[in-house]
Amino acid sequence: MQVKPVVRPRPCLPYNIWRIDNRLRLAATPPELRHPVSEYFRRNFSITTSGHFCTPSLLAAIALLGDDRVMFSVDYPFEDMAQAAIWFDGLDLPDGQWRSIAHDNAVVLLGLRDLLPAIPAGRGAASGLSSR
């Protein structure tokens, strides 16, 4: 007989930053840190939309981390490229914010400024799939 593991939903780390800070603040022996854990997270982590094409979740991530720490991603082959592109291209974000998440943040994080040409202005330029 094969035993299957029980899969429990795990809360997403960015959405638990407040709780981590709060629990550490209330701890009997709080860690001696120069900044709250949330500040270290905001300075040192980036997240992607990989497999999560949910506008409210994206907006919450932007509000929590800033648009410079969020990147568009699909999680291919597990998610559909066209569905992701249509969702992302249709977001009601200012063009500069959309472009940062679509392209610029990854270029900066991965150190690709000298290797990649700039993408043309306009929605859909990064994916090329929403018109298919």
Side-chain angles (χ1 to χ4, degrees), residues 30-119:
E32 294 184 25
L33 301 172
R34 292 175 67 186
H35 304 284
V37 169
S38 58
E39 185 62 28
Y40 293 108
F41 189 86
R42 286 183 187 102
R43 289 182 189 177
N44 296 290
F45 286 82
S46 293
I47 63 171
T48 73
T49 62
S50 184
H52 299 277
F53 313 135
C54 177
T55 302
S57 295
L58 173 65
L59 296 176
I62 292 169
L64 185 66
L65 299 174
D67 61 10
D68 61 328
R69 293 291 183 177
V70 180
M71 296 176 286
F72 173 67
S73 180
V74 177
D75 198 19
Y76 178 83
F78 303 106
E79 299 298 336
D80 182 67
M81 297 284 281
Q83 177 190 17
I86 291 167
W87 166 76
F88 190 73
D89 291 346
L91 288 171
D92 186 21
L93 296 174
D95 286 343
Q97 189 176 52
W98 183 91
R99 183 184 174 92
S100 291
I101 295 168
H103 176 267
D104 296 346
N105 295 342
V107 168
V108 171
L109 179 69
L110 300 172
L112 301 174
R113 286 185 191 178
D114 297 331
L115 300 174
L116 291 178
I119 61 169

